Amino acid sequence: MTRSVAESVDALLAEHAELEGQLADPDVHADPVAARRLGRRYAELAPIAQTVKELDGLRSDLTAATELAKEDSSFAEEAEELARRIPVLEAKLTELLLPRDPHDSADVVMEIKSGEGGEESALFAGDLLRMYLRYAERQGWRTELLDEVRSDLNGHKDATVAIKGRGEGPDGVWARLKFEGGVHRVQRVPVTESQGRIHTSAAGVLIYPEAEDVEVEIDEKDLRVDVFRSSGKGGQSVNTTDSAVRITHLPTGVVVSCQNERSQLQNKARAMQVLRSRLQAIAEEEAARTASDARRSQIRTVDRSERIRTYNFPENRISDHRVNYKSYNLDQVLDGELDGVLNALAEADRAERLGQQG
């Protein structure tokens, strides 16, 4: 371990100890937002502190076993075993010290939009929405459908959903789903195709970390708020009151809407939450574009504009083009079994960050 790395570890251990003391103070928990932020940071540092503790113990045991082996050869085998375990833990510590995405512990907002392909694209967007909702259910996450625009065949032209984790450990929903943003392509025979021909269409997924209330400031003068009646399949009105809310952020042109809450006030609050997340993501993307390659890869390692994945129904195949992942269990994936492709993406990201560190 180099001197700079050792100093970094010492600083992190000191921060871990300080956070432990702060979290033990009842006054800290009077502010739930601040307490949650401290708790997340403490959870991020806990694996580092535990690994350093284990390494220190192994090295101490190795020193003792080596000394004893000089007088009693029976300790030599124990010393060799301890010596083999140390590099494994050192590699683990190196990985834990890699720069983290600052939003890995965050909840997310996901938007799914139909694209090329008309009604078939809207049906596919609905398939994607159900896939993510089922995956969230498998993980024990909570989901809230904030807004949706249905198509005539009950697909989704547009849908916005909030996905919230259990609040345990250093990694939240963002750490798991952050690479899902991009163009998703489907190849299958549409229900509207009478000749049995395979068509290709696409839907877009936009995902961003849900902003904490304190992170993004929005001037009310920069907003245009419109109210309208909630709509259902094919744009038909399903509400007799103007409870749905559409907010336009005039400086950026960002438009968000929410119609699934019971009151106009609730819909506006949820729409503002989505708007804060969108504006935060835009600000970070802009900062990433002007930063160094290393910083850019730390914040975003996937180009969200590229076609990232293909879902081929005739072959029951899913392909992720960024990591050359291919699997023939598309039916299971659409039922929420996403771990295979998500693990491949996470491993590719980890390998890239390790390569940059080296």
Side-chain angles (χ1 to χ4, degrees):
M1 186 184 299
T2 65
R3 180 178 178 180
S4 61
V5 173
E7 290 174 350
S8 175
V9 169
D10 289 342
L12 292 174
L13 292 178
E15 182 184 358
H16 180 263
E18 182 180 356
L19 288 169
E20 190 170 41
Q22 289 178 314
L23 289 169
D25 183 355
D27 292 339
V28 168
H29 297 275
D31 183 347
V33 174
R36 187 182 183 192
R37 187 178 301 111
L38 292 174
R40 283 177 170 174
R41 180 58 176 163
Y42 181 77
E44 290 174 7
L45 296 178
I48 296 175
Q50 180 61 33
T51 302
V52 171
K53 182 179 179 181
E54 291 179 20
L55 262 176
D56 288 343
L58 277 179
R59 287 166 178 158
S60 177
D61 290 346
L62 176 59
T63 299
T66 301
E67 288 297 317
L68 290 170
K70 294 176 182 178
E71 301 176 2
D72 186 344
S73 59
S74 63
F75 285 98
E77 184 176 344
E78 179 182 349
E80 291 176 1
E81 173 60 23
L82 291 169
R84 283 193 294 268
R85 291 169 57 190
I86 288 176
V88 176
L89 271 184
E90 288 177 337
K92 178 181 178 181
L93 180 60
T94 296
E95 184 173 341
L96 289 171
L97 292 174
L98 291 174
R100 284 175 55 88
D101 185 322
H103 296 301
D104 270 352
S105 60
D107 297 327
V108 307
V109 175
M110 174 181 283
E111 296 182 29
I112 302 174
K113 300 176 181 294
S114 62
E116 299 176 1
E119 189 67 51
E120 163 63 5
S121 175
L123 290 170
F124 177 53
D127 292 338
L128 291 177
L129 175 62
R130 285 186 291 275
M131 177 183 76
Y132 289 120
L133 292 177
R134 287 170 180 169
Y135 181 72
E137 183 180 2
R138 290 171 182 267
Q139 302 304 306
W141 297 338
R142 292 176 290 114
T143 59
E144 182 179 359
L145 189 62
L146 304 179
D147 190 40
E148 61 176 340
V149 178
R150 294 291 188 102
S151 68
D152 291 334
L153 295 182
N154 212 30
H156 280 79
K157 296 180 179 179
D158 202 333
T160 303
V161 59
I163 307 177
K164 300 180 181 292
R166 292 170 290 187
E168 302 171 1
D171 289 340
V173 181
W174 175 256
R176 197 63 177 151
L177 296 182
K178 60 185 174 182
F179 300 128
E180 291 303 286
V183 177
H184 295 238
R185 182 176 64 176
V186 62
Q187 296 172 329
R188 65 182 176 187
V189 178
V191 296
T192 56
E193 169 59 52
S194 59
Q195 303 298 320
R197 293 173 297 186
I198 296 174
H199 286 224
T200 297
S201 60
V205 174
L206 174 65
I207 186 167
Y208 35 86
E210 190 169 60
E212 297 282 358
D213 290 348
V214 297
E215 291 186 27
V216 178
E217 294 183 6
I218 301 175
D219 192 332
E220 289 286 339
K221 294 183 296 184
D222 291 335
L223 302 178
R224 184 177 73 236
V225 180
D226 301 307
V227 296
F228 57 99
R229 294 184 181 181
S230 300
S231 60
K233 184 176 69 173
Q236 298 176 350
S237 177
V238 296
N239 200 330
T240 58
T241 62
D242 293 334
S243 62
V245 173
R246 180 187 299 111
I247 300 178
T248 303
H249 186 248
L250 299 175
T252 61
V254 172
V255 179
V256 298
S257 61
C258 185
Q259 62 175 331
N260 281 25
E261 300 291 348
R262 294 183 178 179
S263 72
Q264 183 183 126
L265 187 63
Q266 289 174 317
N267 278 322
K268 183 179 179 182
R270 294 301 285 140
M272 285 296 296
Q273 187 174 12
V274 174
L275 178 61
R276 278 192 294 269
S277 300
R278 288 280 300 274
L279 293 179
Q280 175 176 287
I282 289 171
E284 291 180 356
E285 293 284 358
E286 180 62 30
R289 279 194 292 270
T290 59
S292 66
D293 289 343
R295 174 60 177 166
R296 180 163 55 252
S297 64
Q298 180 183 339
I299 298 298
R300 298 284 188 272
T301 59
V302 174
D303 181 356
R304 296 173 187 279
S305 66
E306 68 181 356
R307 182 179 300 162
I308 64 169
R309 193 174 295 156
T310 296
Y311 304 73
N312 184 295
F313 275 68
E315 298 180 12
N316 198 35
R317 169 172 51 83
I318 176 174
S319 305
D320 195 288
H321 309 298
R322 297 163 294 179
V323 292
N324 295 321
Y325 175 87
K326 186 180 295 183
S327 182
Y328 292 88
N329 64 334
L330 177 57
D331 54 338
Q332 297 172 20
V333 169
L334 291 173
D335 195 42
E337 294 188 18
L338 277 165
D339 281 332
V341 64
L342 295 182
N343 288 342
L345 289 163
E347 177 58 28
D349 177 63
R350 185 190 72 85
E352 181 180 343
R353 289 185 293 122
L354 280 170
Q356 292 171 353
Q357 188 76 359

